[in-house]
Every structure is written in structure tokens, then in C-alpha cells.
Amino acid sequence: VQLQASGGGLVQPGGYLRLSCVVSRSPFTMYSMGWFRQTPGQEREFVAGINRSGDSTYYADSVKDRFTISRDNAKNTVYLQMNNLKPEDTAVYYCAGDRAIILSSIRASGEYLYWGQGTQVTVSS
């Protein structure tokens, strides 16, 4: 299974970006998906997660009400819409997926078997 993340870039504070992650393996609906981020010297942290059908979503407190995770199962793609970006959102963002996640553990990076390559998001004026 390959995950291909894209959409990162440089944006000013208050701006927005949309990250995308395409999953190579079908059926995509078997995979719960998550977005994580990491800065140098820090552990990878949970940002957002979504269940297989897309009707349940989960967010870190730091991004709630600013970020939205969604999925298009017809396109094997999960998205992360990031609004009102702040300098502290600067990080490498990774998408992750797994077929066997218990939703109570969706925030745990160790629960995910498949990872994308990461895309850099830089928020700076």
C-alpha cells in the first residue's frame, strides 16, 4: 500500500492550504485514515483522523475549528483543509492509514501501518 501526500507549501499566517493523500490500494473504504505532523526534534503528533465511512472525525485540540479532515472514497483520497494557519502549524505533515484501527486509538501513531512520505507546511510572514 502506498500513500502519496501533496499540497504543502509556504503560506502567511491566517492563510489556508489543503493537503491531499492518495492511497494506492483498494478498497479504500477498509482504511481508517489520519494526519500527523512533526517538527525537528519532536515526536510525531496527531492532527486529525477519520473513520472508514467518513462519518466520524477526530481532531487535536490545537487544530479543532480550524482544520477539517474529509475523504472521497471514490477517489481513494483523504484531505486536510487547514484554515487560519498559525506559525506553530509549521511542520512536515504525514498521512497514515490502517485497516485494523480501533477508533479509540485513532490518535496513536503506532496504530498505523501505512505512511505517506510527508509534505512540508511552512507558515511564515
Side-chain angles (χ1 to χ4, degrees):
V1 178
Q2 293 185 334
L3 281 66
Q4 182 70 42
S6 62
L10 172 64
V11 63
Q12 293 186 343
Y16 63 91
L17 285 172
R18 189 176 80 156
L19 306 183
S20 300
C21 176
V22 180
V23 177
S24 65
R25 180 69 60 85
S26 295
F28 178 58
T29 52
M30 293 297 291
Y31 296 87
S32 296
M33 301 296 298
W35 286 98
F36 293 77
R37 65 188 182 187
Q38 189 171 24
T39 55
Q42 300 297 316
E43 292 188 357
R44 197 167 293 185
E45 67 169 350
F46 172 78
V47 175
I50 189 166
N51 70 341
R52 297 174 182 181
S53 62
D55 59 3
S56 292
T57 56
Y58 309 81
Y59 297 96
D61 288 342
S62 59
V63 307
K64 199 174 295 184
D65 299 326
R66 298 189 297 122
F67 291 10
T68 302
I69 188 171
S70 62
R71 64 191 296 160
D72 185 336
N73 287 341
K75 296 182 178 179
N76 281 23
T77 302
V78 62
Y79 303 99
L80 185 68
Q81 178 68 42
M82 305 186 295
N83 297 330
N84 190 22
L85 281 161
K86 303 177 180 181
E88 51 264 42
D89 295 318
T90 295
V92 178
Y93 282 71
Y94 298 89
C95 60
D98 199 281
R99 296 178 60 170
I101 288 180
I102 300 172
L103 293 181
S104 60
S105 299
I106 201 168
R107 292 174 172 81
S109 61
E111 295 295 312
Y112 293 82
L113 181 60
Y114 305 108
W115 290 85
Q117 84 286 7
T119 184
Q120 176 71 46
V121 171
T122 302
V123 184
S124 176
S125 55

